[in-house]
Each structure stands twice: as C-alpha cells, then as structure tokens.
Amino acid sequence: HWRYSNCSIWWELGDLMSTLRVDTIANTAGVTNNRVLQVVSTTKTDTFSSGSTSFVDVTGMSANITPASANNKILVSYNLNVSNPGAGYSSSWKIVRNSTDIGIGDASGSKIRTTSQVWADTYGFVIWHPNASFLDSPSSTSQLTYKIQAMTHYGASFPFFLNRGQAEGDSAHYGRTISTITLMEIAG
C-alpha cells in the first residue's frame, strides 16, 4: 500500500478504490447533452468488389442502432481501404440510413452526390483510405440501419475493390486490410 500525506491527513490508496455509479453527469449549468450513450461498430475483414455503375450495398458494411431519444444524434464514421482498376478510374462511396442518403454533397449538374470519391492515379497497386464522419439527426427511437453503398464509374470491366488491391498475387507484397463503420449515439 502507498501512503499519501497532505496537511496531516493520511490515507491508503487501497481505501480510495471504489466504483462510481451515477445516472447522469451534468456541467455546472445542469446541461447533460453531448455525451456518448452507446457505440456500435462493424469491422469487415473479407473483400468485396463490384462493377456496378449505380450504388450497391457493400456486403458486411452496415450497423444497427436504436436511439434512446428522438432528440439524440448519431455520429456515423467509416474508414475504408479501396483500390480502383487503374490510373484515371474512380469509385464513389456514401452513407445510407435505412433507405435515405445522408452526408452527401450538394447537387451540381450531373455530378454524383456522394460522401467520398476515390480516383486512382496508379495502376492498381495502391490502396486508398477514404474516411468520413457525419452527425445525423434521425429524430427516431426505432432501430436504424446505417450502411455503406458504392459504385464504379466505368462498368463491369473496371470494378472497385475493398480490403485488397486491384493487382493480386500470392506473396507478402499483396495485403488484406479491414474496413469499419462506427455509430455513436450522442445525447441531444
């Protein structure tokens, strides 16, 4: 046991160990919002690819959460490992809540509204790391499904790849990676 002395008061650290349990923590003004209530995360360790020129669900990149209050917000974050088929080819990635696109850019002509976009400037050997966060206000206490959707811009002959490079070989030069989607409920 360690002992601490200050102003002639002695106690042992063993005497100070306990569990603090509270219903809520508030600042000096009594405000209890902006705290994390729950965290849900999905990690994808296998690979995925698609040559679709319209958005498709990325298998294994979804997570469910049920907010405790309709006033709460959901912080959605993803970290991906993406490869495109070669120089000048691109893929787009977006967040979807149930069937609603969220966290996407403004409309501008015929441009794709998306959360992230990956353009390749090499010949399939580079894995890019798009990531994004978006604070959603779903106004719901029902279970919500957040997922990642993706598309290539050049068709089936030019697919994108998740968690692997476009170029493949059975050697240590080629790796397998992970991608994640994380949800945090923030008290409103």
Side-chain angles (χ1 to χ4, degrees):
H1 289 279
W2 290 86
R3 288 188 165 211
Y4 177 77
S5 173
N6 187 7
C7 301
S8 301
I9 299 173
W10 291 85
W11 68 85
E12 293 190 21
L13 286 181
D15 296 335
L16 298 177
M17 302 300 167
S18 63
T19 301
L20 174 64
R21 292 188 177 138
V22 298
D23 291 330
T24 189
I25 296 176
N27 64 18
T28 55
V31 177
T32 62
N33 60 354
N34 297 325
R35 59 193 162 93
V36 176
L37 300 177
Q38 63 173 314
V39 178
V40 178
S41 187
T42 299
T43 300
K44 181 173 178 63
T45 59
D46 60 345
T47 64
F48 180 84
S49 65
S50 174
S52 175
T53 55
S54 58
F55 281 102
V56 296
D57 292 351
V58 177
T59 305
M61 286 297 292
S62 67
N64 298 322
I65 195 167
T66 303
S69 166
N71 294 324
N72 295 347
K73 298 180 182 346
I74 306 297
L75 179 61
V76 185
S77 302
Y78 67 71
N79 292 284
L80 308 175
N81 284 285
V82 176
S83 179
N84 289 330
Y89 295 102
S90 63
S91 56
S92 291
W93 304 78
K94 69 179 177 180
I95 304 168
V96 177
R97 180 201 341 108
N98 294 338
S99 59
T100 302
D101 297 348
I102 61 170
I104 58 174
D106 290 342
S108 177
S110 59
K111 296 177 180 70
I112 295 290
R113 298 183 68 198
T114 188
T115 308
S116 297
Q117 192 170 64
V118 177
W119 282 83
D121 61 359
T122 62
Y123 290 94
F125 296 101
V126 174
I127 296 178
W128 304 95
H129 311 285
N131 58 75
S133 295
F134 179 74
L135 188 60
D136 187 31
S137 300
S139 301
S140 176
T141 56
S142 300
Q143 178 176 284
L144 304 169
T145 299
Y146 289 86
K147 60 188 176 181
I148 304 302
Q149 291 188 338
M151 64 175 283
T152 181
H153 296 269
Y154 300 97
S157 298
F158 305 99
F160 63 80
F161 301 89
L162 183 70
N163 291 345
R164 57 160 278 197
Q166 180 272 338
E168 278 277 274
D170 190 17
S171 75
H173 298 291
Y174 303 96
R176 289 287 193 262
T177 60
I178 66 168
S179 294
T180 61
I181 180 171
T182 302
L183 312 177
M184 293 187 202
E185 182 181 2
I186 311 297

